[in-house]
Amino acid sequence: MREYQVSELKGNEVLAKPVCLENGNIILEIGTVLKQSYKESLTSLNIQKIFIEEPFEKYEKANLYFDKNIFLNFENDLREILSHHVYKNNQGLKKLKKLAEKLVTVFEKTEEKRALDVRNRTSDLYEHTISMTILVMVLGREYGFSRDRMADAVLGCLLHDLGYCYVNVNYKNCSYQNMTPTEIYDLKRHTVLGYTALEKEEWLPEISKKMILSHHEKLDGSGYPLRQRNKQEECRMIQICDTFDCAVSGIECIKKTIYQAFEIISDSNKYENHMEKILKKKIGIYPVGTMVKIENGKAAVVISQTENSQAPIILYTNEKNGNHMITENLNRKEAPKIINIM
């Protein structure tokens, strides 16, 4: 699928992802054939971007660790719980404990060796939260977390941006340079507000609370809100994973490429170096659907990942063998290399 501006719609495109309102209500389902008349309606609802199917999508096998529909179900469950939350009325948030358990259960059953796909991300807070949670679980698995420890870390992830429910500030694709001091203050205090709303909740583990408070801290003490140098692995995991996923989704910053996101977390003064190396091995540099140019001069589209995050399986877009499209696994010693993204 590819992210489209609503203004680009010409009609007859097919939705690859549901269109939701801010309150979580779905107004257009996956598979809907769009009409030109939808352009005005979507614009009036302040919906500027959508996802549509692409010509080679039927060949693509993206690795999200979860099945696409399972991922969307988790995202919608989280949206339903958090979008109806009111400050310090935390009974409804207890449902997140069950959601955390479900996430861990599905993840434990997944023995995926291919690199993870990160592609066509939006600034949707709930999509960001589930995606970032997966990254933390990837690290947790590498660090040998027990099931209980993983569930506590996942719970911290699911609640880490709760504070955004209590502030009125635009955190989507924003730049501090274009924000007023008041807006920056409001944005940064979401960490404290999320923590203070939950600090007395006995059902929430202490490590989960620390993750909420410290997810924007840095190893060198340059983060916020307290300039702490957290030693807990869970805190360091959420810091590096949140920074990476915020960068590729355009949350709390201007949206960046995967390369740029990796450049940010490669700063060993601010982020755990060992964790950064793991993420580089586990996340595909060329996500499924990326149009690339190969050193043989041919154009291709990435259709699947391999165990090598820099050598995916591609499909040549302008070549056929009879009625069949030609594919090639670049994770071979003699295989050609990708020279750039188109």
Side-chain angles (χ1 to χ4, degrees), residues 208-272:
S208 306
K209 297 175 185 178
K210 288 181 180 179
M211 292 173 71
I212 296 166
L213 179 63
S214 67
H215 67 273
H216 280 294
E217 300 287 5
K218 305 289 184 290
L219 297 185
D220 61 1
S222 63
Y224 67 86
L226 302 176
R227 296 184 176 274
Q228 291 181 325
R229 293 174 170 86
N230 302 95
K231 294 182 180 180
Q232 297 91 345
E233 288 174 337
E234 290 89 342
C235 291
R236 294 188 175 194
M237 287 177 182
I238 197 172
Q239 287 161 13
I240 191 170
C241 293
D242 185 60
T243 298
F244 178 88
D245 202 80
C246 279
V248 297
S249 58
I251 291 180
E252 303 163 17
C253 66
I254 298 297
K255 188 174 181 179
K256 296 174 175 58
T257 65
I258 291 178
Y259 283 107
Q260 291 170 325
F262 274 124
E263 285 179 2
I264 294 171
I265 66 171
S266 66
D267 187 342
S268 58
N269 292 320
K270 298 181 184 297
Y271 304 99
E272 182 68 57

Side-chain angles (χ1 to χ4, degrees), residues 8 18-19 35 45 52 78 92 95 99-100 104 107 109 116-117 136 140 158 168 181 224 247 267 290:
E8 295 180 302
V19 176
K35 302 178 181 178
L45 292 170
I52 66 170
L78 180 66
K95 297 176 183 178
L99 182 59
V104 174
F107 187 79
K109 293 179 179 179
L116 178 67
D117 279 293
V136 169
L158 296 179
N168 185 22
Y224 67 86
D267 187 342
T290 303

Side-chain angles (χ1 to χ4, degrees), residues 229-341:
R229 293 174 170 86
N230 302 95
K231 294 182 180 180
Q232 297 91 345
E233 288 174 337
E234 290 89 342
C235 291
R236 294 188 175 194
M237 287 177 182
I238 197 172
Q239 287 161 13
I240 191 170
C241 293
D242 185 60
T243 298
F244 178 88
D245 202 80
C246 279
V248 297
S249 58
I251 291 180
E252 303 163 17
C253 66
I254 298 297
K255 188 174 181 179
K256 296 174 175 58
T257 65
I258 291 178
Y259 283 107
Q260 291 170 325
F262 274 124
E263 285 179 2
I264 294 171
I265 66 171
S266 66
D267 187 342
S268 58
N269 292 320
K270 298 181 184 297
Y271 304 99
E272 182 68 57
N273 183 249
H274 181 58
M275 294 180 185
E276 181 255 348
K277 289 181 178 179
I278 292 173
L279 292 178
K280 277 192 173 179
K281 289 181 179 179
K282 297 294 184 178
I283 299 173
I285 300 297
Y286 307 102
V288 162
T290 303
M291 302 298 295
V292 295
K293 186 175 182 180
I294 311 302
E295 63 181 357
N296 57 20
K298 299 176 182 179
V301 59
V302 176
I303 60 170
S304 183
Q305 299 296 332
T306 67
E307 294 182 26
N308 185 340
S309 62
Q310 301 188 46
I313 296 173
I314 60 169
L315 178 148
Y316 290 107
T317 56
N318 297 316
E319 288 194 15
K320 285 187 176 182
N321 182 6
N323 293 324
H324 300 285
M325 303 295 291
I326 298 175
T327 64
E328 185 164 10
N329 186 339
L330 301 185
N331 190 26
R332 298 179 295 108
K333 187 175 181 179
E334 67 275 17
K337 299 184 183 301
I338 295 172
I339 56 176
N340 60 45
I341 297 174

Side-chain angles (χ1 to χ4, degrees), residues 20 30 80 83 103 155 175 179 184 187 219 226 244 259 273 288 310:
C20 301
I30 292 176
E80 175 66 21
S83 63
L103 278 158
L155 193 52
S175 169
M179 298 172 70
I184 295 173
L187 186 149
L219 297 185
L226 302 176
F244 178 88
Y259 283 107
N273 183 249
V288 162
Q310 301 188 46

Side-chain angles (χ1 to χ4, degrees), residues 1-9 12-20 28-34 38 42 47-55 57 60 64 68 71-72 75 79 118-125 127-128 131 248-250 255 288-289:
M1 61 181 174
R2 186 168 81 85
E3 185 179 76
Y4 257 56
Q5 296 287 337
V6 169
S7 58
E8 295 180 302
L9 288 180
N12 293 320
E13 296 92 345
V14 179
L15 269 183
K17 189 175 180 180
V19 176
C20 301
L28 291 176
E29 300 279 357
I30 292 176
T32 300
V33 179
L34 301 177
Y38 290 177
L42 292 172
I47 296 171
Q48 300 176 352
K49 297 178 181 179
I50 57 174
F51 287 89
I52 66 170
E53 294 181 358
E54 294 184 311
E57 189 164 0
E60 297 175 4
L64 303 175
K68 181 169 66 174
F71 185 101
L72 288 173
E75 183 183 326
R79 188 188 306 273
V118 178
R119 179 174 179 261
N120 273 344
R121 294 296 306 284
T122 69
S123 299
D124 181 278
L125 196 62
E127 180 186 61
H128 156 67
S131 297
V248 297
S249 58
K255 188 174 181 179
V288 162

